[in-house]
Amino acid sequence: MRIGVVTFPGSLDDSSALRAIRLAGGEAVPLFHASDDLKEVQAVVLPGGFSYGDYLRCGAISRFAPIMESIIVAAEHGFPVLGICNGFQILTESHLLPGALIRNQDLHFICTDQPVTVENTNTPWTRGYTQGQRIVIPIKNGEGSYQASAETLAELEGEGRVVLRYADKNPNGSQNNIAGITNARGNVVGVMPHPEQAIESLTGPSEDGLIFFSSILQSLVAR
Amino acid sequence: MATIIVEVMLKPEILDPQGQAVASALPRLGFNFAKSVRQGKRFEIVVDGEPTHTQLAEVEAAAEKLLSNPVIETYVVKVEK
C-alpha cells in the first residue's frame, strides 16, 4: 500500500508523517510540490508546517503548486486525502473542504496535548476508531480557529461531517468546537491536531494517532 | 505608471482577533477614540501606463482567486494615479 506525503517549501511534519505510515505498515512515498506526479500512490497526506512561510494566508500559495492540481482532480474522483494542520489549511484554500482557518482567538500559538472526540468513523482515515472515542493528540498552530457560514455549519452537522471535535475546552475559538471535517463524499479529511505526533509513547502523549494511518491501510485493502 | 490597489478585509461576521488586540492596545496608550478596530490587507500593484479594462478584469480575477479568500474575506479594487 503506497501512501504519499507531499513536501512543500516550509513543510515541517513531512518526515513524521512518512514515519507514521511506515510504522502502521504502509509504504511511505515522498512527493514533491513542484511535480504533478503522484507516483502511483493510493492515498496522500498533506503534512503540517508553514508552507511558503504562511505568506498571504496559510495554505493560499501551496494550493497552486503543481502537485495540488493533480491531488484536486484525484480527490474529486474519490482519492483519499488527509490534511493535517497546514495540510487542512491547504484543503480549505483548495475548496476541497468548506470553511476557513483563521488566527486563534487569543492570538497565541498553541502547542499542547489536546483531548478530542472522534465523531465520524466512516472515513477511510478514521474507520479504526470507535464512534465517540476520546483520544489525545497534540495541536500546534497559530491559525487553527475553524470558521464557516451558518449554512455550511448546519450542513456539516446535519450530514455528520465533523470528524474530530475538541473535548473539554475549545482551545482557539473554532466554531462548534470543530477540530476536523470531511467532504460530502468522505474521502477528503482535514484535521488541526497532529495524529502523526501521537504514534509512540516515547515521543507522544499517546499512540492514538497511529489509527489514522492503520485505518487508511485497512481501507485500501478492503477496496 | 499607475497603481492598482486591492484592499482585502475579513467579512464583518468573521471574528478578527488581530483587530480586537489593536483595539484593546489603543486605550493603554491613551488613545480613546476607537469603538472597534478591524485589520485588513492592502496590495499595491504597479502597471505601465493607464490600467486597461483587461488588466483591471485580470486584477479582479486575481483578487477573487488568490489575493482574497471569498469564504472569509471581501475585496475592493481601486486605481491610484
Side-chain angles (χ1 to χ4, degrees):
Chain A
M1 298 293 125
R2 290 166 63 82
I3 316 285
V5 176
V6 180
T7 298
F8 295 94
S11 290
L12 279 184
D13 297 311
D14 41 349
S15 54
S16 302
L18 289 162
R19 187 156 178 277
I21 292 162
R22 283 195 298 271
L23 211 68
E27 184 185 347
V29 180
L31 300 174
F32 198 53
H33 71 105
S35 160
D36 62 3
D37 183 4
L38 291 175
K39 298 188 179 169
E40 295 178 351
V41 296
Q42 292 151 288
V44 78
V45 176
L46 304 179
F50 301 87
S51 58
Y52 294 92
D54 278 350
Y55 291 169
L56 190 59
R57 296 177 306 279
C58 303
I61 299 178
S62 310
R63 176 250 174 280
F64 296 102
I67 196 87
M68 283 309 298
E69 304 294 335
S70 302
I71 290 173
I72 290 167
V73 172
E76 284 163 355
H77 292 90
F79 180 73
V81 181
L82 173 66
I84 302 167
C85 196
N86 190 221
F88 186 8
Q89 294 162 341
I90 295 169
L91 290 175
T92 59
E93 283 286 343
S94 306
H95 308 302
L96 287 174
L97 292 175
L101 293 141
I102 66 163
R103 192 64 61 98
N104 291 338
Q105 193 160 29
D106 61 3
L107 297 174
H108 292 155
F109 186 97
I110 302 170
C111 183
T112 187
D113 297 334
Q114 175 70 41
V116 293
T117 312
V118 183
E119 300 212 349
N120 178 333
T121 55
N122 297 320
T123 82
W125 301 97
T126 53
R127 56 183 277 162
Y129 293 101
T130 54
Q131 184 71 26
Q133 186 175 344
R134 183 187 158 100
I135 61 176
V136 177
I137 44 183
I139 51 172
K140 49 187 187 87
N141 63 66
E143 309 201 16
S145 178
Y146 183 77
Q147 304 292 318
S149 67
E151 303 84 75
T152 302
L153 285 175
E155 197 179 298
L156 288 172
E157 296 289 356
E159 296 174 6
R161 285 165 52 195
V162 176
V163 174
L164 294 184
R165 213 185 292 271
Y166 297 114
D168 302 344
K169 75 174 179 64
N170 185 332
N172 53 23
S174 288
Q175 287 179 317
N176 294 19
N177 298 331
I178 288 174
I181 56 170
T182 185
N183 61 345
R185 194 167 177 160
N187 60 306
V188 179
V189 171
V191 295
M192 281 320 286
H194 286 263
E196 85 289 0
Q197 305 294 347
I199 56 170
E200 286 171 308
S201 52
L202 179 66
T203 53
S206 72
E207 296 176 4
D208 296 340
L210 193 59
I211 298 175
F212 269 85
F213 304 95
S214 53
S215 292
I216 186 62
L217 294 171
Q218 285 163 18
S219 304
L220 293 172
V221 170
R223 275 190 169 184
Chain B
M1 283 205 305
T3 306
I4 304 172
I5 308 292
V6 181
E7 284 175 356
V8 178
M9 291 299 296
L10 281 173
K11 286 180 180 172
E13 68 269 25
I14 302 289
L15 183 77
D16 176 15
Q18 294 183 98
Q20 286 178 347
V22 173
S24 63
L26 286 170
R28 289 204 296 272
L29 301 171
F31 297 118
N32 294 306
F33 50 77
K35 190 171 169 216
S36 72
V37 177
R38 292 185 71 79
Q39 183 178 323
K41 292 190 190 99
R42 173 184 159 107
F43 299 85
E44 298 181 347
I45 302 161
V46 177
V47 295
D48 274 331
E50 284 295 295
T52 62
H53 285 296
T54 317
Q55 277 175 334
L56 284 172
E58 281 179 349
V59 169
E60 189 88 19
E64 176 86 26
K65 193 173 182 188
L66 177 67
L67 303 181
S68 77
N69 177 350
V71 176
I72 47 167
E73 294 168 327
T74 56
Y75 64 86
V76 184
V77 177
K78 300 183 240 181
V79 178
E80 213 168 69
K81 286 174 188 161

